[in-house]
Amino acid sequence: MKLIRLWRQYDSVKAVVMLLALAVYMLGYSIRAAIAYAVILRTPTAYICTAPNGFATILPQLAQMECVKGYSLQKTATFIHEDHTLPVTLLSAAYLSDCYGIADNPRAIYANRTAFSAFFGETAQQSEQIRGTLDGKPFYTEIIQTDAMPDTQTFSAMAVGAAELHDASELRICLTEPDAVAMEQLGLRIVNPEIQLAADYEQRLVLLRVRFGMLAAILSCIAAAAFFRIYRLH
């Protein structure tokens, strides 16, 4: 009751209460941004790499790195059904299991939501059995939509044996957090640098939000203290 009476009597009290409420709100804003930053740092990132001297000496090193969630040689194929085309990344079954938790399902193509919707449309079921061609050869498959794969861009994949990947010129590496420097130190050349650029931009943006929220909260507290001093002088 006393606060209500002071609220009605002094404009400075109104200013103090509103500024303190703003400080609490901005502090919460900063905490949410800090949590988002922590999530970004722990979000797995996939790099597609090439190596001038081949991958023979690099693969054993990757197996020893704690930050590597999974890796696989990869190729790209094209599945066609009538006038619909679906790019398919051919990977090892171990990569799909380690990075996405997808069990080995021979001849099945797994697609993220973006790829699945682009191929079938929004009204399709979670999986569709379909006949078409894979790189020009007749191919009967089941295309399964999965949320385990990142949905930032169109992506679909299928597990194949080591024999089909032995002559691949690209290596896909999934890290537990973005770290292009570690890949370059191994002598690898990243062919999808936009992944690192996007991660760096998002990190800077979220950090800016944290700093803005903290600064706004501090300034609100300082202003509230100033108005409280004005109230005390009355």
Side-chain angles (χ1 to χ4, degrees), residues 116-225:
F116 193 86
S117 297
F119 189 80
F120 289 109
E122 298 292 339
T123 60
Q125 302 298 318
Q126 292 293 108
S127 67
E128 295 283 349
Q129 294 185 350
I130 192 169
R131 189 180 302 277
T133 61
L134 186 68
D135 281 352
K137 299 177 181 179
F139 191 72
Y140 181 75
T141 184
E142 180 181 15
I143 302 180
I144 303 171
Q145 178 184 302
T146 175
D147 293 329
M149 293 177 171
D151 203 34
T152 53
Q153 59 185 350
T154 300
F155 181 68
S156 61
M158 182 177 70
V160 296
E164 296 182 63
L165 297 173
H166 78 281
D167 59 343
S169 60
E170 292 182 339
L171 177 68
R172 179 178 286 263
I173 306 170
C174 183
L175 302 184
T176 54
E177 59 187 52
D179 191 354
V181 175
M183 300 298 94
E184 293 170 355
Q185 289 175 345
L186 290 174
L188 294 168
R189 186 176 71 85
I190 299 172
V191 299
N192 61 336
E194 68 278 1
I195 294 294
Q196 184 64 37
L197 292 175
D200 290 343
Y201 173 79
E202 191 171 6
Q203 287 182 27
R204 288 196 296 268
L205 181 61
V206 174
L207 277 178
L208 185 62
R209 290 174 179 169
V210 173
R211 292 165 181 165
F212 168 76
M214 291 300 297
L215 179 60
I218 292 171
L219 291 177
S220 296
C221 290
I222 293 173

Side-chain angles (χ1 to χ4, degrees), residues 4-62:
I4 296 176
R5 186 169 62 253
L6 293 174
W7 174 278
R8 293 173 178 173
Q9 188 174 0
Y10 298 103
D11 289 338
S12 56
V13 172
K14 295 178 184 178
V16 169
V17 173
M18 289 188 290
L19 286 167
L20 288 178
L22 177 61
V24 171
Y25 174 81
M26 295 310 299
L27 182 61
Y29 177 87
S30 294
I31 292 173
R32 290 194 298 272
I35 293 173
Y37 182 73
V39 170
I40 291 172
L41 291 181
R42 290 185 292 181
T43 299
T45 302
Y47 293 98
I48 302 172
C49 305
T50 60
N53 301 318
F55 303 114
T57 60
I58 293 175
L59 297 182
Q61 297 180 62
L62 290 174

Side-chain angles (χ1 to χ4, degrees), residues 46 48 74-76 86-91 95-96 99-100 102 109-118 143-146 148-158 172 192:
I48 302 172
Q74 75 166 30
K75 287 183 176 181
T76 301
L86 180 67
V88 181
T89 301
L90 307 181
L91 297 165
Y95 184 92
L96 294 180
C99 299
Y100 306 125
I102 294 174
I109 297 174
Y110 292 90
N112 63 12
R113 189 180 301 273
T114 301
F116 193 86
S117 297
I143 302 180
I144 303 171
Q145 178 184 302
T146 175
M149 293 177 171
D151 203 34
T152 53
Q153 59 185 350
T154 300
F155 181 68
S156 61
M158 182 177 70
R172 179 178 286 263
N192 61 336

